[in-house]
C-alpha cells in the first residue's frame, strides 16, 4: 500500500487526478480534483482499494480525511464511490459532528446517501471517531443552513428566517420551524 505520493498534478478530470512522481503517473480518485494546484509539488495521502476486479488509488489532502474515509467504507452498504463524495462536499469535522449528534438530515444531503445508509453510518460509527484538537463543532445555525440548502432553499431566504429560530431546539425541530417560516 502507498501511504502518500509526492509529485505534480498533470491531469485533472471529473473524479480523479494524475500525479506524476519520477516519471510515473498515478491515477488517484479524489473528491475535488480541481482543488489541487497544478503548478507546485503536493503530497497526497492515499488508500489502495484492491478487489478481484478493481485496483484503485484514492487520495486525500490530510490523514484525517483518509482515516474518516477508511471508517466510512467499513459501514455496511457504503463503498469508496459513495464515501469519496461525502468528503468532497462535507468537512471532516462536520461529518463527525453529524454522526455523533445523529443528524440524519445532514448525512442525507450527500449524493447516494439515503435514510437507510445514513442510519447505518450512525449505528456503526457514533462515538468511534476521533476528533482532532482543532475541531470546532458546527453551531446550530450552520447545520440548519446546510440542511435547508440541501433541500433546495436559497441562502438569502434562509438568512431572513434564521433570527426567528431558537438554537436551543434539536435540529429536527429547528428544521420544522424553518420550513414553516419559509413556506409562509
Amino acid at each position: 500500500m502507498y501511504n502518500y505520493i509526492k509529485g505534480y498534478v498533470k491531469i485533472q478530470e471529473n473524479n480523479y487526478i494524475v500525479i506524476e512522481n519520477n516519471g510515473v503517473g498515478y491515477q488517484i480518485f479524489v473528491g475535488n480534483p480541481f482543488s489541487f494546484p497544478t503548478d507546485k509539488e503536493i503530497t497526497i495521502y492515499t488508500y489502495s482499494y484492491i478487489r478481484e476486479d478493481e485496483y484503485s488509488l484514492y487520495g486525500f489532502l490530510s490523514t484525517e480525511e483518509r482515516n474518516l474515509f477508511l471508517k466510512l467504507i467499513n459501514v455496511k452498504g457504503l463503498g469508496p464511490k459513495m464515501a469519496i463524495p461525502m468528503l468532497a462536499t462535507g468537512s471532516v469535522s462536520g461529518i463527525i459532528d453529524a454522526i455523533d449528534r445523529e443528524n440524519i438530515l445532514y448525512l442525507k444531503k450527500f449524493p447516494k446517501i439515503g435514510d437507510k445508509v445514513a442510519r447505518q453510518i450512525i449505528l456503526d460509527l457514533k462515538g468511534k471517531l476521533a476528533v482532532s484538537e482543532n475541531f470546532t463543532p458546527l453551531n446550530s445555525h450552520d447545520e440548519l443552513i446546510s440542511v435547508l440548502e440541501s433541500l433546495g432553499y436559497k441562502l438569502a431566504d434562509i438568512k431572513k428566517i434564521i433570527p426567528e429560530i431558537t438554537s436551543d431546539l434539536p435540529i429536527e425541530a429547528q428544521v420544522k420551524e424553518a420550513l414553516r417560516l419559509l413556506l409562509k
Side-chain angles (χ1 to χ4, degrees):
M1 180 170 131
Y2 302 107
N3 188 25
Y4 67 89
I5 297 173
K6 189 180 277 193
Y8 292 88
V9 176
K10 294 296 182 181
I11 299 171
Q12 294 171 309
E13 290 294 329
N14 288 334
N15 60 348
Y16 70 87
I17 61 172
V18 174
I19 189 166
E20 185 178 325
N21 176 286
N22 292 325
V24 177
Y26 296 93
Q27 180 179 339
I28 303 171
F29 292 96
V30 294
N32 294 319
F34 299 102
S35 66
F36 291 87
T38 56
D39 56 347
K40 67 178 187 173
E41 187 175 54
I42 64 164
T43 300
I44 186 164
Y45 299 92
T46 59
Y47 169 69
S48 301
Y49 183 74
I50 302 170
R51 296 293 180 263
E52 59 189 47
D53 61 339
E54 179 180 359
Y55 180 81
S56 302
L57 282 174
Y58 288 87
F60 312 93
L61 291 171
S62 69
T63 56
E64 289 84 13
E65 272 188 9
R66 180 177 59 190
N67 292 341
L68 179 57
F69 174 82
L70 293 174
K71 297 281 188 186
L72 288 170
I73 63 173
N74 284 320
V75 171
K76 181 181 176 187
L78 185 69
K81 291 185 176 144
M82 290 172 72
I84 205 81
M86 288 180 72
L87 294 170
T89 55
S91 67
V92 172
S93 60
I95 295 169
I96 291 172
D97 186 48
I99 291 168
D100 286 341
R101 295 173 74 196
E102 298 184 24
N103 186 347
I104 291 173
L105 292 174
Y106 181 85
L107 295 173
K108 285 173 54 176
K109 80 173 189 163
F110 298 116
K112 300 180 184 177
I113 304 294
D115 194 58
K116 184 177 178 182
V117 175
R119 289 182 190 281
Q120 190 67 45
I121 291 169
I122 292 168
L123 179 68
D124 289 356
L125 299 179
K126 183 177 178 183
K128 297 178 183 173
L129 300 173
V131 179
S132 65
E133 294 171 11
N134 59 359
F135 171 74
T136 54
L138 293 172
N139 79 37
S140 189
H141 290 311
D142 289 343
E143 187 174 10
L144 178 61
I145 290 169
S146 176
V147 169
L148 293 172
E149 282 182 321
S150 72
L151 292 173
Y153 290 97
K154 293 184 170 106
L155 185 59
D157 295 335
I158 296 168
K159 285 186 175 183
K160 289 178 186 173
I161 61 135
I162 287 292
E164 300 177 42
I165 298 171
T166 308
S167 61
D168 296 341
L169 296 172
I171 187 65
E172 292 81 9
Q174 289 181 40
V175 171
K176 285 179 185 176
E177 182 66 17
L179 290 174
R180 187 183 64 73
L181 292 169
L182 285 166
L183 294 174
K184 276 188 177 179

